[in-house]
Amino acid sequence: MSVFPSSKPAATTTAAPPPANGATAGPPAATTTATNGGATKSNLYNPTSRQPYRQPYNRRHHHRPRRNYCCCCCFWTILIILILALLVAIAGSILYVLYRPHRPSFTLASLRIHRLNLTTTADSSSSHLSTLFNLTLSSKNPNSHLTFTYDPFTLSCVTSNNDVFIGNGTLPAFISNSKNETTFKGVVITTSSDLDADTVNNLRPDLKKKNGIPLKIEMDTKVTVKMDGLKSKKVGIRVTCDDIKGTVPKGKSPSVANVSGSKCKVDLRIKIWKWTF
């Protein structure tokens, strides 16, 4: 019977050489050698050996999809807003070309002052103002396809220089159809109030002017605009009639104010929270 030797070389274990210079010997480190004289790698961990390079983990890569999503949303939102603004501008241009809208106009036809008295007590401790004005106003709608619906007006009369309150009144609500003119006669503005010292000092010089007291009338209301089948929301407006020269009446006859140079201006009144523009 024949015996064949194993194909694997027999491994022999050799002890490590003794430490030099009398150093304390540690536990023997065994190395495995093959029978053909070649040494294999050690199975023990060597802390001085160089570790393979590994690229550090970057967490920012996980945020890219979310950031891209936010940028995409912002882009499309801005694009949609710009498209809507463009469509509104185009629609407004078409309406302007078709209808040619114009603001309504107001005219102060006449102003009669029946009473304008400023009385002060003998000791100058208090002053009292009593006024009574009668005026005629007209409103005109110059548009062919627009109808204005006005709420009741609130009227106030003040001096042009110092805005000293002279009197207030009201004007009823009305509808101004296309190419229509509405006239109001006998509109009353009056007051009976006490004034403080500063107000009296601002009013007295105006009452003594020879060319008349500079006055202005302010009218506040809300209006709705109707155009064929379209109807807007209520918008606040203020009508200001300036350059009025009034005189103090003498006796029982009323004085007629000079309104030849008066012009009435219509402005939008936009209210945002507590502020009105």
Side-chain angles (χ1 to χ4, degrees):
M1 180 177 174
S2 301
V3 178
F4 297 95
S6 175
S7 60
K8 296 182 180 180
T12 60
T13 303
T14 60
N21 299 329
T24 304
T31 59
T32 303
T33 59
T35 56
N36 55 3
T40 61
K41 294 182 179 179
S42 174
N43 294 330
L44 299 179
Y45 171 74
N46 187 358
T48 61
S49 63
R50 179 177 298 179
Q51 300 295 327
Y53 175 75
R54 295 181 181 180
Q55 185 176 2
Y57 179 74
N58 193 352
R59 295 184 179 180
R60 291 182 296 177
H61 293 290
H62 290 274
H63 296 283
R64 285 185 179 179
R66 183 180 299 177
R67 183 167 55 187
N68 293 339
Y69 177 78
C70 293
C71 293
C72 187
C73 288
C74 292
F75 171 76
W76 283 108
T77 302
I78 295 174
L79 182 62
I80 292 173
I81 292 174
L82 292 177
I83 292 175
L84 291 177
L86 180 61
L87 293 176
V88 171
I90 293 173
S93 301
I94 293 173
L95 292 176
Y96 179 79
V97 172
L98 292 177
Y99 296 101
R100 296 281 181 176
H102 297 280
R103 293 185 180 185
S105 60
F106 290 81
T107 304
L108 179 62
S110 65
L111 174 61
R112 294 179 178 272
I113 302 176
H114 294 268
R115 185 173 62 249
L116 181 54
N117 298 330
L118 177 62
T119 57
T120 305
T121 57
D123 57 354
S124 300
S125 59
S126 63
S127 299
H128 187 79
L129 177 65
S130 177
T131 61
L132 177 60
F133 294 175
N134 191 299
L135 52 94
T136 300
L137 285 168
S138 63
S139 172
K140 185 178 180 180
N141 182 4
N143 300 282
S144 301
H145 302 278
L146 300 181
T147 300
F148 297 105
T149 303
Y150 297 98
D151 286 355
F153 285 74
T154 301
L155 281 66
S156 61
C157 181
V158 296
T159 59
S160 298
N161 296 334
N162 301 307
D163 287 340
V164 176
F165 177 75
I166 301 297
N168 57 8
T170 58
L171 199 65
F174 67 98
I175 298 176
S176 181
N177 295 316
S178 58
K179 296 293 183 180
N180 186 32
E181 185 173 358
T182 307
T183 302
F184 296 92
K185 296 181 179 180
V187 181
V188 176
I189 292 179
T190 183
T191 189
S192 180
S193 57
D194 295 328
L195 304 180
D196 55 23
D198 293 336
T199 304
V200 173
N201 294 333
N202 292 328
L203 182 59
R204 283 192 184 278
D206 290 336
L207 295 176
K208 296 178 181 181
K209 289 183 178 180
K210 295 181 179 180
N211 57 350
I213 308 168
L215 301 173
K216 67 178 177 181
I217 296 175
E218 297 176 343
M219 300 178 285
D220 294 325
T221 188
K222 291 185 177 181
V223 61
T224 302
V225 183
K226 185 177 181 181
M227 179 176 55
D228 293 339
L230 301 177
K231 186 178 181 180
S232 71
K233 294 183 178 181
K234 289 184 178 181
V235 179
I237 63 170
R238 167 170 286 185
V239 183
T240 304
C241 300
D242 208 343
D243 294 332
I244 304 170
K245 302 295 183 181
T247 56
V248 179
K250 297 179 181 180
K252 296 182 179 181
S253 299
S255 62
V256 180
N258 183 8
V259 295
S260 59
S262 175
K263 294 181 179 180
C264 296
K265 182 177 62 174
V266 181
D267 296 319
L268 290 175
R269 301 282 288 175
I270 301 174
K271 187 174 182 180
I272 301 177
W273 197 29
K274 297 181 180 180
W275 298 276
T276 304
F277 303 93

